[in-house]
Amino acid sequence: MGRGRAKAKQTKVARELKYFSPDTDLSALERELHGSSYAEPERSSDVDDGEDYDDDYGKWASGQR
């Protein structure tokens, strides 16, 4: 397929997507938005929270190199 035909096909698909308006199920959207409450994920014990390392940047920035 040549470039002209490929571009024409892309244009046709883009036009169909632009002007196609499916029926929106607003009740399903409302259920999804008001569904279960957000639960923050638990922190893993193997994650380093950074408390036991030297702050090299802080030393550098304050002139304590």
Side-chain angles (χ1 to χ4, degrees):
M1 187 167 12
R3 174 70 180 129
R5 291 180 61 167
K7 184 173 182 181
K9 185 173 183 177
Q10 290 174 349
T11 304
K12 178 183 175 187
V13 169
R15 191 172 290 124
E16 287 174 357
L17 290 173
K18 180 178 180 181
Y19 295 112
F20 176 69
S21 58
D23 295 333
T24 304
D25 188 1
L26 296 177
S27 59
L29 177 62
E30 184 179 10
R31 283 192 307 271
E32 183 177 339
L33 294 175
H34 295 294
S36 62
S37 61
Y38 174 75
E40 188 171 327
E42 295 181 21
R43 293 186 63 172
S44 176
S45 61
D46 61 339
V47 174
D48 182 21
D49 45 351
E51 294 177 0
D52 52 291
Y53 73 94
D54 293 330
D55 187 9
D56 294 329
Y57 177 76
K59 289 179 186 177
W60 180 84
S62 64
Q64 300 175 1
R65 295 181 230 175

